[in-house]
Amino acid sequence: MRLLPLLLLLLAGARASDDPFLSGAANHSYNIDCGGTADFTSVFGRRWLADQFFSAGGAAGMVAEPHRFPQPQERTLRFFPPSSAGKSSCYSLPLPPGRYYLRLFSVYDNYDSKLRTPSFDVSAAATLVLSFRSPWPEPAARYGAYSDLIFPSATSPASDVCFYSLSTDAPVVASIEVAPVHPLAYDGATTGADLILVNYGRVTCGNSLFGPGFTRDADAFSRVWQADVDFRNNDLSYDAITAGGKKIFGSNQPPNYFPTKLYESAVTTGGDATNEIEYLMPVDTRLSYMVWLHFAEIDAGIGSAGQRVFDVVLAGENVTRIDIFKQVGGFTAFKWTYIVKNLTSSTLSVKLVPVVGRPILCGLENYAMVPLETRTLPSQVAAMKALKESLKIPARMGWNGDPCAPREWDAWEGVTCHRGDKGLVITQLDLASQGLKGYITDEISHLKDLVSLNLSYNSLTGSLPPGLGQPSLVSLDISSNEFTGSIPGTIGSSKLQTALLNNNQLDGQVPERLYSIGVHGGVIDLSGNKGLCGVPTLPACALFWEKGGLNKTGKIALGASFGFLLLVILIVVYILCIRRGPYDYDFDFPQDLTSISAISAKRNRYQRAKSVMLAEMEAHNPDGFYTNGSPH
């Protein structure tokens, strides 16, 4: 259901003139000029963005001979020296869940004057998708090469496209384009959530290169279609034919939106009717491939079924027989797809063998089916990114992308991962002596599988968060830092065997459960913390002091003191205010209580006051009684 808004958007807006890369961030499409310093609009109306808000670092560069590159985004580039950027560098793309078309342009053109193309890998959705190995083919090294794929975005708000350095080589990229595609495109109902489709060849037969962003021809999917001459078996002869301006039906339909122009031209065999058509596509034998063949009967001389029939032979296996007119009639687009597995050759042969008449082909696509790799649990990814910020991890450590995937590459520097029940999990962090100057965020509590944590010999500050006491933790070393405050009572699980907290600025009473580690044969070191107390080898804690504050006894005593003081105040108020009647008199004590004369004077005043009171009473009641104002 989460894909439904994207589906409706594409269905509503997909017309032959549409270019998804024109809609911009509102539709989650981006054209990123890697290494560019300013935004611009291309001659085809596309808005290109400088990459400063997407990139994880690296350095900007420019090709050696920019005049050879017609488009501005092809002339600038960004490269990632591992000495400063780390072994992995990523572009973070703000994409909601869905399927996306991604296109990269990589070029060397001796930008660094070293005359040596780099070797590096590229991942999307934490899965290795592209490999560049030195030396590059001369055309790619000099003029660059485009690579594209279809991938499902991550479940987090952003997806990463990452570059991994081999040895000391600096990965390089010139542009990145990404746009949403129909959720069901290219058999997305069965493969969309679990596979990445990497383009290993997309050709238009009998035509020249076309596609939006390169020509003014439309493709609502924004694919670029290469001329087929580089993929033909040149030992065979071919003839090109066209539709002659006649309308093609059935093109540009969801979910794949194959463009009309693709079906307006085709190749057939040259010479006699016994010749074949063959295309040779490069492949990786470790993968399976999704092959799409595109046909249209654009020869007006074919007017009925059975006049053109041919077999499709893939990797030497006859997989189907096709009669285009029988399937859809004339001048109508027809698509056919097949999955090829268990290849033994690095070249996939796509052959059309005549049965009746000459075979015909309008276009060909070949996609490697790359299984989506297991990724780190989202909660632990979020925790690691929070730690990256709080610990102030330097860029040279390459903490970018997924902490644990792809598995072909090691995890982030200092991080060890293992496969859990629902994904990859972090089990060890070894960041000793890395010059870290931040603090430990409580988000570390989400690393539920953490067994060992070593942050020793850094300059970390702040208090120890409660989340540091993971039940899974076996070894904890935070020695030789600048941590302050008390030790949380959560530290000291039954599994903890080593606890090195020495040489910090911790204070307060040591939790009994932490100290018990040493009692039960584990290793504990609390030395070098002048403020710690309460266990053997350390000073005794103050009577009412524990863990940097009042203990339970201290709190009770403090509460009792406040209660007694409050009681005294109430008694005084009661005596001075509530108990005073209409005939009560103030008897102020003299300033000098030792003065005999003052005491005598006070006694005399009292006697006079008493005489006045008796006189008043006798005046009102001759009998000495006074009740309700009536004499008795």
Side-chain angles (χ1 to χ4, degrees):
M1 294 302 294
R2 300 173 71 181
L3 294 175
L4 184 57
L6 175 60
L7 174 61
L8 295 176
L9 177 64
L10 290 168
L11 287 175
R15 300 182 301 273
S17 60
D18 283 346
D19 177 356
F21 287 99
L22 293 178
S23 53
N27 193 39
H28 307 292
S29 66
Y30 303 94
N31 305 294
I32 303 171
D33 178 18
C34 303
T37 58
D39 299 350
F40 69 93
T41 301
S42 73
V43 295
F44 299 105
R46 288 188 172 186
R47 184 68 173 167
W48 284 86
L49 307 174
D51 67 347
Q52 57 182 326
F53 298 112
F54 300 93
S55 173
M62 180 170 287
V63 295
E65 300 183 69
H67 63 274
R68 290 207 305 255
F69 296 85
Q71 304 188 70
Q73 70 274 10
E74 296 178 335
R75 303 167 195 159
T76 58
L77 53 85
R78 185 168 293 277
F79 60 99
F80 304 94
S83 58
S84 59
K87 68 178 181 182
S88 64
S89 300
C90 303
Y91 280 86
S92 183
L93 308 176
L95 303 175
R99 296 185 78 205
Y100 293 85
Y101 178 62
L102 175 70
R103 181 162 58 224
L104 307 177
F105 179 64
S106 296
V107 62
Y108 176 65
D109 192 41
N110 198 30
Y111 77 91
D112 57 2
S113 302
K114 294 181 179 180
L115 295 174
R116 183 180 179 277
T117 54
S119 296
F120 60 92
D121 289 340
V122 183
S123 74
T127 301
L128 187 63
V129 290
L130 300 171
S131 292
F132 291 82
R133 293 296 181 267
S134 185
W136 297 12
E138 178 59 25
R142 188 169 186 182
Y143 297 101
Y146 282 90
S147 307
D148 63 76
L149 53 96
I150 302 167
F151 75 103
S153 73
T155 55
S156 63
S159 289
D160 296 316
V161 178
C162 299
F163 301 83
Y164 300 86
S165 172
L166 287 173
S167 185
T168 59
D169 289 357
V172 59
V173 61
S175 69
I176 298 176
E177 303 164 76
V178 62
V181 300
H182 196 294
L184 303 180
Y186 290 97
D187 201 19
T190 57
T191 64
D194 301 318
L195 289 174
I196 295 177
L197 300 181
V198 181
N199 176 22
Y200 268 64
R202 182 189 301 112
V203 301
T204 174
C205 300
N207 206 341
S208 58
L209 177 145
F210 76 90
F214 295 84
T215 69
R216 297 195 180 277
D217 300 288
D219 184 327
F221 208 114
S222 204
R223 289 156 295 212
V224 175
W225 298 83
Q226 296 174 263
D228 65 338
V229 292
D230 292 331
F231 297 92
R232 294 177 183 173
N233 180 350
N234 290 322
D235 293 333
L236 304 174
S237 60
Y238 305 84
D239 285 339
I241 59 176
T242 68
K246 293 186 177 180
K247 183 178 180 180
I248 304 294
F249 297 93
S251 62
N252 200 40
Q253 298 297 309
N256 296 312
Y257 302 100
F258 294 120
T260 301
K261 185 177 180 66
L262 177 65
Y263 301 98
E264 293 177 337
S265 65
V267 296
T268 185
T269 58
D272 60 51
T274 62
N275 285 341
E276 302 170 345
I277 293 175
E278 184 178 27
Y279 287 86
L280 303 174
M281 313 299 292
V283 292
D284 183 337
T285 56
R286 297 172 298 177
L287 301 171
S288 298
Y289 288 82
M290 180 183 290
V291 178
W292 287 72
L293 301 182
H294 299 275
F295 307 99
E297 187 52 79
I298 57 176
D299 184 349
I302 303 296
S304 64
Q307 291 184 277
R308 191 195 305 274
V309 182
F310 52 89
D311 290 334
V312 177
V313 179
L314 300 179
E317 180 183 357
N318 192 327
V319 293
T320 191
R321 178 165 291 180
I322 290 179
D323 183 337
I324 304 170
F325 198 95
K326 181 178 180 180
Q327 292 288 337
V328 295
F331 294 92
T332 302
F334 173 57
K335 290 81 63 179
W336 178 86
T337 186
Y338 187 82
I339 295 176
V340 183
K341 301 179 180 180
N342 303 319
L343 294 170
T344 58
S345 172
S346 59
T347 300
L348 170 62
S349 170
V350 179
K351 187 181 295 186
L352 304 183
V353 180
V355 176
V356 177
R358 297 189 294 175
I360 188 175
L361 181 64
C362 294
L364 165 64
E365 296 178 271
N366 186 34
Y367 292 96
M369 304 173 68
V370 180
L372 199 66
E373 288 201 27
T374 302
R375 288 173 274 190
T376 307
L377 293 179
S379 61
Q380 299 204 11
V381 173
M384 291 298 290
K385 290 183 176 180
L387 278 172
K388 175 184 176 181
E389 295 299 320
S390 73
L391 296 176
K392 301 187 185 304
I393 299 294
R396 59 175 171 76
M397 295 185 67
W399 277 33
N400 301 301
D402 189 290
C404 302
R407 296 301 299 272
E408 288 86 349
W409 287 87
D410 294 334
W412 288 359
E413 184 176 343
V415 179
T416 300
C417 304
H418 286 85
R419 186 178 295 274
D421 294 335
K422 298 181 179 180
L424 301 177
V425 296
I426 288 91
T427 57
Q428 182 174 340
L429 293 178
D430 186 355
L431 303 174
S433 304
Q434 293 293 343
L436 308 181
K437 297 182 179 180
Y439 65 95
I440 304 176
T441 174
D442 197 47
E443 294 294 314
I444 197 172
S445 63
H446 295 294
L447 302 182
K448 303 293 186 182
D449 305 274
L450 191 62
V451 174
S452 175
L453 174 63
N454 186 353
L455 298 173
S456 62
Y457 293 96
N458 288 292
S459 300
L460 299 175
T461 60
S463 58
L464 302 180
L468 194 59
Q470 289 285 23
S472 59
L473 204 59
V474 175
S475 176
L476 173 64
D477 186 355
I478 57 172
S479 61
S480 300
N481 280 284
E482 300 172 16
F483 291 116
T484 57
S486 60
I487 301 175
T490 55
I491 298 179
S493 70
S494 59
K495 293 183 179 180
L496 192 60
Q497 299 175 7
T498 300
L500 306 179
L501 286 72
N502 51 295
N503 299 323
N504 281 286
Q505 301 172 26
L506 301 172
D507 57 28
Q509 184 169 349
V510 177
E512 292 182 6
R513 62 186 300 188
L514 175 62
Y515 181 72
S516 67
I517 295 171
V519 176
H520 293 92
V523 177
I524 182 171
D525 190 347
L526 302 172
S527 63
N529 292 281
K530 294 182 179 180
L532 291 179
C533 61
V535 296
T537 74
L538 294 178
C541 292
L543 180 61
F544 299 134
W545 188 260
E546 179 182 6
K547 299 179 184 177
L550 290 173
N551 59 18
K552 184 177 181 181
T553 303
K555 292 177 181 177
I556 293 175
L558 182 63
S561 299
F562 275 116
F564 179 76
L565 179 60
L566 179 61
L567 179 61
V568 170
I569 293 173
L570 291 175
I571 291 174
V572 171
V573 171
Y574 178 76
I575 292 174
L576 296 180
C577 299
I578 300 176
R579 290 292 303 273
R580 178 179 298 173
Y583 301 109
D584 290 339
Y585 290 84
D586 275 335
F587 303 115
D588 293 331
F589 287 100
Q591 296 298 321
D592 186 359
L593 295 178
T594 61
S595 172
I596 297 176
S597 59
I599 295 174
S600 300
K602 187 69 175 179
R603 185 182 296 116
N604 293 335
R605 287 199 301 270
Y606 172 73
Q607 293 295 335
R608 287 195 298 270
K610 181 177 179 181
S611 300
V612 171
M613 291 170 59
L614 291 174
E616 279 188 5
M617 293 175 65
E618 290 175 356
H620 284 82
N621 189 347
D623 296 327
F625 297 97
Y626 186 85
T627 304
N628 294 330
S630 301
H632 294 277

mmCIF file of all heavy atoms in Angstrom, residues 7 35 47 70 124 183 194 212 222 237 276 369 377 466 469 474 476 530 544 548 552 555 586 589 601 624:
data_model
loop_
_atom_site.group_PDB
_atom_site.id
_atom_site.type_symbol
_atom_site.label_atom_id
_atom_site.label_comp_id
_atom_site.label_asym_id
_atom_site.label_seq_id
_atom_site.Cartn_x
_atom_site.Cartn_y
_atom_site.Cartn_z
ATOM 1 N N LEU A 7 2.380 4.953 -7.590
ATOM 2 C CA LEU A 7 1.743 4.323 -8.733
ATOM 3 C C LEU A 7 0.742 5.268 -9.377
ATOM 4 O O LEU A 7 0.726 5.453 -10.595
ATOM 5 C CB LEU A 7 1.042 3.030 -8.281
ATOM 6 C CG LEU A 7 0.193 2.295 -9.322
ATOM 7 C CD1 LEU A 7 1.041 1.863 -10.499
ATOM 8 C CD2 LEU A 7 -0.509 1.105 -8.692
ATOM 9 N N GLY A 35 30.822 17.356 -8.194
ATOM 10 C CA GLY A 35 31.936 18.286 -8.298
ATOM 11 C C GLY A 35 31.535 19.663 -8.778
ATOM 12 O O GLY A 35 32.361 20.580 -8.796
ATOM 13 N N ARG A 47 16.966 20.431 -14.563
ATOM 14 C CA ARG A 47 17.614 21.186 -13.503
ATOM 15 C C ARG A 47 18.697 20.325 -12.862
ATOM 16 O O ARG A 47 18.421 19.243 -12.346
ATOM 17 C CB ARG A 47 16.585 21.590 -12.459
ATOM 18 C CG ARG A 47 17.137 22.466 -11.336
ATOM 19 C CD ARG A 47 17.529 23.828 -11.847
ATOM 20 N NE ARG A 47 17.915 24.737 -10.750
ATOM 21 C CZ ARG A 47 18.516 25.885 -10.942
ATOM 22 N NH1 ARG A 47 18.793 26.300 -12.172
ATOM 23 N NH2 ARG A 47 18.826 26.654 -9.915
ATOM 24 N N PRO A 70 30.217 17.562 -24.333
ATOM 25 C CA PRO A 70 29.209 18.548 -24.733
ATOM 26 C C PRO A 70 28.350 19.045 -23.579
ATOM 27 O O PRO A 70 27.793 20.140 -23.661
ATOM 28 C CB PRO A 70 28.357 17.796 -25.751
ATOM 29 C CG PRO A 70 28.544 16.342 -25.399
ATOM 30 C CD PRO A 70 29.930 16.212 -24.885
ATOM 31 N N ALA A 124 24.464 0.214 -4.360
ATOM 32 C CA ALA A 124 23.175 0.880 -4.167
ATOM 33 C C ALA A 124 22.335 -0.045 -3.311
ATOM 34 O O ALA A 124 22.393 -1.270 -3.467
ATOM 35 C CB ALA A 124 22.485 1.149 -5.501
ATOM 36 N N PRO A 183 5.990 0.879 -9.930
ATOM 37 C CA PRO A 183 6.305 -0.236 -9.026
ATOM 38 C C PRO A 183 6.315 -1.598 -9.704
ATOM 39 O O PRO A 183 7.001 -2.520 -9.243
ATOM 40 C CB PRO A 183 5.198 -0.164 -7.971
ATOM 41 C CG PRO A 183 4.714 1.240 -8.017
ATOM 42 C CD PRO A 183 4.860 1.680 -9.442
ATOM 43 N N ASP A 194 13.256 -7.704 -4.000
ATOM 44 C CA ASP A 194 14.398 -8.559 -3.681
ATOM 45 C C ASP A 194 15.554 -8.461 -4.655
ATOM 46 O O ASP A 194 16.595 -9.065 -4.414
ATOM 47 C CB ASP A 194 13.939 -10.026 -3.628
ATOM 48 C CG ASP A 194 12.850 -10.246 -2.593
ATOM 49 O OD1 ASP A 194 12.978 -9.688 -1.493
ATOM 50 O OD2 ASP A 194 11.880 -10.966 -2.884
ATOM 51 N N PRO A 212 15.902 10.925 -23.554
ATOM 52 C CA PRO A 212 15.833 12.253 -22.947
ATOM 53 C C PRO A 212 17.095 12.566 -22.166
ATOM 54 O O PRO A 212 17.672 11.725 -21.489
ATOM 55 C CB PRO A 212 14.608 12.159 -22.016
ATOM 56 C CG PRO A 212 14.421 10.697 -21.769
ATOM 57 C CD PRO A 212 14.879 10.016 -23.010
ATOM 58 N N SER A 222 12.808 7.494 -18.991
ATOM 59 C CA SER A 222 14.079 8.212 -19.098
ATOM 60 C C SER A 222 15.256 7.312 -19.445
ATOM 61 O O SER A 222 16.402 7.634 -19.166
ATOM 62 C CB SER A 222 14.400 8.986 -17.808
ATOM 63 O OG SER A 222 15.269 10.051 -18.105
ATOM 64 N N SER A 237 25.453 -10.445 -41.750
ATOM 65 C CA SER A 237 25.029 -9.223 -42.440
ATOM 66 C C SER A 237 23.626 -8.827 -41.975
ATOM 67 O O SER A 237 22.813 -9.683 -41.626
ATOM 68 C CB SER A 237 25.028 -9.442 -43.960
ATOM 69 O OG SER A 237 24.131 -10.484 -44.316
ATOM 70 N N GLU A 276 21.015 -15.503 -40.011
ATOM 71 C CA GLU A 276 20.548 -15.280 -38.648
ATOM 72 C C GLU A 276 20.901 -13.863 -38.189
ATOM 73 O O GLU A 276 21.744 -13.193 -38.787
ATOM 74 C CB GLU A 276 21.210 -16.286 -37.686
ATOM 75 C CG GLU A 276 20.956 -17.745 -38.063
ATOM 76 C CD GLU A 276 21.817 -18.697 -37.238
ATOM 77 O OE1 GLU A 276 22.795 -18.203 -36.611
ATOM 78 O OE2 GLU A 276 21.524 -19.898 -37.220
ATOM 79 N N MET A 369 20.412 -9.740 -12.778
ATOM 80 C CA MET A 369 19.507 -9.822 -11.634
ATOM 81 C C MET A 369 20.358 -9.990 -10.373
ATOM 82 O O MET A 369 20.750 -11.103 -10.018
ATOM 83 C CB MET A 369 18.535 -10.982 -11.826
ATOM 84 C CG MET A 369 17.751 -10.873 -13.130
ATOM 85 S SD MET A 369 16.738 -12.336 -13.493
ATOM 86 C CE MET A 369 15.505 -12.221 -12.208
ATOM 87 N N LEU A 377 20.216 -4.021 10.634
ATOM 88 C CA LEU A 377 18.909 -3.673 11.177
ATOM 89 C C LEU A 377 18.751 -2.156 11.237
ATOM 90 O O LEU A 377 19.663 -1.450 11.688
ATOM 91 C CB LEU A 377 18.749 -4.252 12.583
ATOM 92 C CG LEU A 377 18.670 -5.773 12.699
ATOM 93 C CD1 LEU A 377 18.524 -6.184 14.167
ATOM 94 C CD2 LEU A 377 17.508 -6.328 11.897
ATOM 95 N N PRO A 466 23.075 5.606 30.689
ATOM 96 C CA PRO A 466 22.548 4.323 31.176
ATOM 97 C C PRO A 466 22.559 3.240 30.107
ATOM 98 O O PRO A 466 22.738 2.065 30.407
ATOM 99 C CB PRO A 466 21.120 4.677 31.614
ATOM 100 C CG PRO A 466 21.158 6.146 31.884
ATOM 101 C CD PRO A 466 22.143 6.716 30.917
ATOM 102 N N GLY A 469 25.034 0.111 29.589
ATOM 103 C CA GLY A 469 24.949 -1.187 30.267
ATOM 104 C C GLY A 469 24.153 -2.197 29.480
ATOM 105 O O GLY A 469 23.047 -2.601 29.882
ATOM 106 N N VAL A 474 30.171 -8.128 27.039
ATOM 107 C CA VAL A 474 31.134 -8.996 27.718
ATOM 108 C C VAL A 474 32.381 -8.216 28.108
ATOM 109 O O VAL A 474 32.970 -8.446 29.166
ATOM 110 C CB VAL A 474 31.509 -10.200 26.829
ATOM 111 C CG1 VAL A 474 32.610 -11.039 27.476
ATOM 112 C CG2 VAL A 474 30.288 -11.059 26.531
ATOM 113 N N LEU A 476 34.134 -4.212 28.290
ATOM 114 C CA LEU A 476 33.962 -2.768 28.227
ATOM 115 C C LEU A 476 35.280 -2.101 28.598
ATOM 116 O O LEU A 476 35.811 -2.312 29.688
ATOM 117 C CB LEU A 476 32.861 -2.312 29.190
ATOM 118 C CG LEU A 476 32.682 -0.800 29.361
ATOM 119 C CD1 LEU A 476 32.250 -0.163 28.053
ATOM 120 C CD2 LEU A 476 31.683 -0.497 30.466
ATOM 121 N N LYS A 530 39.637 9.827 41.045
ATOM 122 C CA LYS A 530 39.786 10.278 42.422
ATOM 123 C C LYS A 530 38.466 10.351 43.170
ATOM 124 O O LYS A 530 38.437 10.304 44.401
ATOM 125 C CB LYS A 530 40.471 11.646 42.436
ATOM 126 C CG LYS A 530 41.909 11.608 41.930
ATOM 127 C CD LYS A 530 42.548 12.975 42.010
ATOM 128 C CE LYS A 530 43.995 12.933 41.534
ATOM 129 N NZ LYS A 530 44.661 14.262 41.594
ATOM 130 N N PHE A 544 26.285 9.946 53.909
ATOM 131 C CA PHE A 544 25.051 10.072 53.133
ATOM 132 C C PHE A 544 25.314 10.173 51.635
ATOM 133 O O PHE A 544 24.480 10.676 50.891
ATOM 134 C CB PHE A 544 24.272 11.317 53.591
ATOM 135 C CG PHE A 544 23.873 11.271 55.028
ATOM 136 C CD1 PHE A 544 24.058 12.375 55.848
ATOM 137 C CD2 PHE A 544 23.320 10.119 55.575
ATOM 138 C CE1 PHE A 544 23.690 12.331 57.175
ATOM 139 C CE2 PHE A 544 22.943 10.076 56.895
ATOM 140 C CZ PHE A 544 23.131 11.177 57.713
ATOM 141 N N GLY A 548 27.562 9.980 43.431
ATOM 142 C CA GLY A 548 27.547 11.399 43.094
ATOM 143 C C GLY A 548 26.408 12.173 43.705
ATOM 144 O O GLY A 548 26.187 13.332 43.374
ATOM 145 N N LYS A 552 20.153 6.499 49.996
ATOM 146 C CA LYS A 552 18.819 6.339 50.563
ATOM 147 C C LYS A 552 18.775 6.838 51.998
ATOM 148 O O LYS A 552 17.840 7.543 52.411
ATOM 149 C CB LYS A 552 18.408 4.873 50.490
ATOM 150 C CG LYS A 552 16.992 4.602 50.977
ATOM 151 C CD LYS A 552 16.621 3.141 50.798
ATOM 152 C CE LYS A 552 15.199 2.878 51.273
ATOM 153 N NZ LYS A 552 14.841 1.439 51.112
ATOM 154 N N LYS A 555 18.850 10.580 52.036
ATOM 155 C CA LYS A 555 17.570 11.160 51.643
ATOM 156 C C LYS A 555 16.564 11.075 52.782
ATOM 157 O O LYS A 555 15.774 11.997 53.020
ATOM 158 C CB LYS A 555 17.042 10.457 50.400
ATOM 159 C CG LYS A 555 17.883 10.726 49.155
ATOM 160 C CD LYS A 555 17.364 9.937 47.959
ATOM 161 C CE LYS A 555 18.233 10.208 46.734
ATOM 162 N NZ LYS A 555 17.801 9.412 45.567
ATOM 163 N N ASP A 586 1.218 40.763 75.132
ATOM 164 C CA ASP A 586 2.618 40.491 74.796
ATOM 165 C C ASP A 586 3.488 40.712 76.022
ATOM 166 O O ASP A 586 3.331 41.700 76.738
ATOM 167 C CB ASP A 586 3.105 41.443 73.691
ATOM 168 C CG ASP A 586 2.754 40.909 72.319
ATOM 169 O OD1 ASP A 586 2.609 39.686 72.201
ATOM 170 O OD2 ASP A 586 2.644 41.745 71.379
ATOM 171 N N PHE A 589 10.499 39.859 76.170
ATOM 172 C CA PHE A 589 11.685 39.677 76.994
ATOM 173 C C PHE A 589 12.621 40.840 76.765
ATOM 174 O O PHE A 589 12.743 41.356 75.660
ATOM 175 C CB PHE A 589 12.409 38.372 76.630
ATOM 176 C CG PHE A 589 11.670 37.165 77.105
ATOM 177 C CD1 PHE A 589 10.884 36.440 76.246
ATOM 178 C CD2 PHE A 589 11.762 36.774 78.436
ATOM 179 C CE1 PHE A 589 10.207 35.333 76.680
ATOM 180 C CE2 PHE A 589 11.085 35.650 78.879
ATOM 181 C CZ PHE A 589 10.295 34.932 78.003
ATOM 182 N N ALA A 601 11.654 45.368 86.603
ATOM 183 C CA ALA A 601 10.728 46.264 85.913
ATOM 184 C C ALA A 601 9.654 45.474 85.190
ATOM 185 O O ALA A 601 8.485 45.851 85.184
ATOM 186 C CB ALA A 601 11.501 47.143 84.919
ATOM 187 N N GLY A 624 -18.564 39.202 91.210
ATOM 188 C CA GLY A 624 -17.309 38.571 90.738
ATOM 189 C C GLY A 624 -17.522 37.684 89.544
ATOM 190 O O GLY A 624 -16.593 37.036 89.094
#
